[in-house]
Amino acid sequence: MITTLSGDTSRLLATVDFVKEQDTATLLPLLLPGLDGPELHTLVEHCRFSHAALLVLPTDEAELDAMLADCGLLPALPAQPSVVVRGRLAERHRRRAAELDVRILRPAVVGADGAQRMVEVFALTVPPGSDLDSIAAHEREHQHEAHVAFEVPVPDPLVLRGLCATFARYGARPDGGGYNPHETGTVFYFAAPDETKAGYRRVELYVPGDHRDVLSAHLDEHRARQPAETLLRLLTGAWTTQALAAFAQLRLPDAMDGERGIGVEDLAREVGARPRNLATLLRYLVMLGTVAEGRDGFRLTALGALLRTDAPGSMRALALMYGGPFYRSFAGLGHTVRTGQVAFEHLYGENHFDHFARDPRLAELFDQSMAAGSAMFDPVPTHPVLTAAAELPGGATVVDVAGGNGELLGRVLAAHPRLNGILLERPHAVEAARHRLEKAGHGTRCAFLAGDFADVPAGGDVYVLSRILHDWDDERCREILRHCARAMPGHADLLVIERVLPSDGSVSLATAWDLHMMCNVGGRERQADHYGRLFSDAGLALVDRAPLPLDGHVLHVRKAPPASV
């Protein structure tokens, strides 16, 4: 044991000496050979050498304290959990992350240039005779977690992307990373180029704050270099859907707290589950970011909180729908591609509107799931058409055609107290909308009409078709639009809210929903010019369009001017 401890201590001493001797301007060219001139100056301006790191494996906390003392290191703060390194060790050695209590210590070191730096010490306790001995031996031999790190003082997304691009240009390769919620920091790992002269094979960019949006592209590039792993992650996407659906179905988010952890046994009693099986599900949810694990148990993250029953903008119904009826019908996607028959109809023997209408529970779930994407609606009430209508001296009426449970119309009426509304829906849905809008205090300003598209009421000032046209084929869309055109006075406006397929083939949620509509509804998403042709066929004209959240768009449509003779 003395030899092992001496080995860890000697490596730690060497790390301390390295941190004292180096500075940003001299270390970067060693790591990235060929880097000089303006690009070196830019990197030095936007990042600074902050620490070197290594993993030590003491038998207990007392041994770790002695090791630090031998190296003259005095941590100013208590050890914190290391989410990223723990995850890397778990993946590398195929172990449960919960079995690996990896902690971080960051004792200060003063460099030769007088700058304050740190030695980052990852400590995995390996009790004598434990089943972690093989991990300790492997890590000591290969030193996977040894790295040098640069901190980005001003975490601007453009700066981060520029730093990552420069590292890549000089041969550094994305090598993972992660977000640590315990200290609110984001880590970008790189593998140093083969010709590096710094003596370290891994480089870290540490950025204070949550920058998982930029990190996502970095991790995608890392996975792209490992096609088998990438494909395996894609193939297991169904497991993710079902894990989130089970999370919602068991009402786990309702039983959890965002600040305080809860143990598996207590949580299992609360939701009526088997502790061992629940623990397996929770560990997977930790990987998805909907749950976080700490010493006091599991807690809910902001992402997971969206699946609470009473959360503003709750997406629980969407999780149950995508993990339920629509999930089962997606097994028939190949049938749809081969035959053209809608997979949902092939499986259930009827279209999804009729199927849900016959089952009150499913009908309510479907209406709730449609409202779950309500973030798309956030900017709609401020659209210039609605703002102008609200300023008309005599007031104005907004007609929401097939308006579901009234989510969107309620937002419009709340934003504009001088507007009135009419909601047209199927009989079972119109009652749900009536209840919702009356509860919100808008009942006296809204009329409710049970009917079909042929019953679009005349005389409105603004008509709304929100996520309706993508349910249908082109001929049915023309029919719906003609009903609207006949009802619209000459001054009226029509707002069509849909996801619009990009014309350049760029990544968009609309592409995913195009597949969903084909498989489950028999509809489709469309490009803007396709919608333009449908509007023209119905005697309407596209005036303009504006982007919405979740890759949505609002298309402003008016009656086409009469053709000149």
Side-chain angles (χ1 to χ4, degrees):
M1 192 63 217
I2 295 176
T3 303
T4 299
L5 181 58
S6 174
D8 278 357
T9 303
S10 64
R11 280 191 290 272
L12 186 54
L13 282 169
T15 304
V16 172
D17 290 341
F18 181 88
V19 172
K20 289 180 177 179
E21 295 165 2
Q22 297 295 335
D23 60 46
T24 307
T26 56
L27 180 55
L28 278 169
L30 293 175
L31 284 167
L32 307 173
L35 176 67
D36 59 13
E39 285 190 302
L40 173 58
H41 177 75
T42 299
L43 284 189
V44 171
E45 183 181 353
H46 288 104
C47 67
R48 61 180 179 226
F49 174 42
S50 64
H51 66 262
L54 80 164
L55 173 67
V56 297
L57 304 116
T59 57
D60 55 29
E61 191 168 337
E63 190 168 73
L64 174 62
D65 290 342
M67 188 186 308
L68 294 171
D70 287 343
C71 296
L73 299 175
L74 297 173
L77 298 173
Q80 295 291 319
S82 173
V83 174
V84 176
V85 172
R86 183 182 66 173
R88 286 171 57 87
L89 287 172
E91 183 175 356
R92 191 154 56 239
H93 297 282
R94 293 178 170 80
R95 302 293 289 264
R96 291 175 50 211
E99 299 174 358
L100 306 174
D101 185 17
V102 183
R103 318 295 287 175
I104 308 176
L105 288 158
R106 295 191 175 97
V109 172
V110 179
D113 58 355
Q116 289 284 336
R117 300 193 182 94
M118 296 178 297
V119 172
E120 189 170 67
V121 182
F122 302 114
L124 172 62
T125 301
V126 182
S130 76
D131 63 352
L132 302 179
D133 283 341
S134 60
I135 294 179
H138 177 90
E139 293 300 323
R140 285 192 176 104
E141 178 183 355
H142 295 283
Q143 293 294 301
H144 293 294
E145 299 308 324
H147 65 262
V148 291
F150 297 84
E151 185 172 2
V152 182
V154 182
D156 179 271
L158 288 176
V159 170
L160 293 184
R161 291 187 177 95
L163 290 172
C164 290
T166 303
F167 272 57
R169 192 156 52 248
Y170 286 91
R173 303 177 301 280
D175 191 33
Y179 168 68
N180 189 338
H182 299 287
E183 57 186 41
T184 317
T186 310
V187 175
F188 297 75
Y189 281 128
F190 296 84
D194 295 338
E195 59 273 22
T196 186
K197 300 172 183 176
Y200 284 84
R201 304 302 308 167
R202 297 182 69 240
V203 186
E204 171 193 310
L205 281 181
Y206 177 81
V207 191
D210 184 350
H211 301 280
R212 280 178 281 188
D213 50 348
V214 182
L215 178 66
S216 177
H218 178 79
L219 295 178
D220 285 345
E221 189 172 346
H222 171 56
R223 293 179 186 125
R225 298 173 182 272
Q226 302 168 314
E229 178 184 340
T230 300
L231 183 58
L232 192 59
R233 290 178 184 273
L234 294 173
L235 289 171
T236 58
W239 305 352
T240 296
T241 303
Q242 285 301 321
L244 293 172
F247 188 45
Q249 185 180 32
L250 292 168
R251 297 188 183 273
L252 281 162
D254 295 343
M256 299 178 71
D257 189 270
E259 301 294 332
R260 178 181 53 84
I262 181 172
V264 172
E265 295 284 346
D266 292 338
L267 194 54
R269 280 193 296 272
E270 180 77 15
V271 303
R274 293 191 174 193
R276 179 179 175 184
N277 295 28
L278 179 58
T280 300
L281 172 62
L282 288 169
R283 285 195 299 271
Y284 187 82
L285 293 168
V286 168
M287 190 170 69
L288 300 181
T290 55
V291 167
E293 184 179 7
R295 287 187 166 183
D296 56 349
F298 293 90
R299 65 173 179 81
L300 196 64
T301 66
L303 185 66
L306 288 172
L307 294 176
R308 281 184 182 271
T309 305
D310 59 352
S314 171
M315 301 180 77
R316 180 176 186 271
L318 205 60
L320 296 176
M321 185 63 68
Y322 287 169
F326 288 149
Y327 183 88
R328 290 190 287 275
S329 61
F330 249 107
L333 177 60
H335 175 82
T336 296
V337 174
R338 285 194 306 272
T339 68
Q341 183 183 7
V342 178
F344 192 101
E345 297 176 10
H346 175 65
L347 179 65
Y348 292 100
E350 57 186 341
N351 71 58
H352 93 286
F353 293 111
D354 293 339
H355 184 75
F356 293 158
R358 288 193 305 100
D359 185 331
R361 183 188 63 82
L362 274 180
E364 182 181 8
L365 182 64
F366 177 71
D367 288 336
Q368 290 173 350
S369 72
M370 290 295 289
S374 61
M376 183 188 291
F377 300 152
D378 287 347
V380 172
T382 61
H383 191 280
V385 162
L386 291 167
T387 301
E391 294 173 353
L392 291 174
T397 299
V398 178
V399 181
D400 194 353
V401 180
N405 68 355
E407 167 73 24
L408 176 56
L409 185 56
R411 287 174 176 240
V412 171
L413 296 180
H416 302 291
R418 298 184 61 209
L419 289 177
N420 294 310
I422 299 174
L423 188 138
L424 171 67
E425 251 298 356
R426 297 155 294 163
H428 80 274
V430 86
E431 289 308 312
R434 185 194 304 274
H435 175 75
R436 182 187 187 96
L437 291 174
E438 287 179 351
K439 185 177 179 181
H442 307 314
T444 58
R445 295 163 53 208
C446 190
F448 301 89
L449 180 62
D452 202 347
F453 294 114
D455 303 306
V456 176
D461 299 287
V462 180
Y463 289 75
V464 178
L465 280 172
S466 176
R467 297 182 298 179
I468 302 300
L469 298 181
H470 74 164
D471 288 332
W472 306 100
D473 62 23
D474 283 1
E475 189 51 46
R476 179 64 163 152
C477 285
R478 293 186 188 96
E479 183 182 344
I480 293 168
L481 290 167
R482 287 179 184 126
H483 287 310
C484 292
R486 280 194 292 269
M488 291 167 61
H491 72 276
D493 297 280
L494 170 63
L495 299 181
V496 175
I497 299 169
E498 295 286 356
R499 289 189 171 94
V500 177
L501 284 170
S503 58
D504 60 359
S506 57
V507 174
S508 169
L509 285 173
T511 304
W513 256 258
D514 197 21
L515 189 72
H516 169 64
M517 303 311 291
M518 178 184 74
C519 182
N520 284 291
V521 183
R524 60 185 299 184
E525 307 294 351
R526 298 169 172 89
Q527 294 182 356
D529 59 351
H530 192 155
Y531 278 116
R533 291 192 296 273
L534 295 177
F535 298 146
S536 179
D537 291 346
L540 300 166
L542 177 62
V543 178
D544 64 18
R545 62 173 173 149
L548 296 174
L550 303 178
D551 284 347
H553 280 80
V554 56
L555 309 176
H556 177 198
V557 182
R558 302 203 74 179
K559 280 194 168 184
S564 57
V565 179

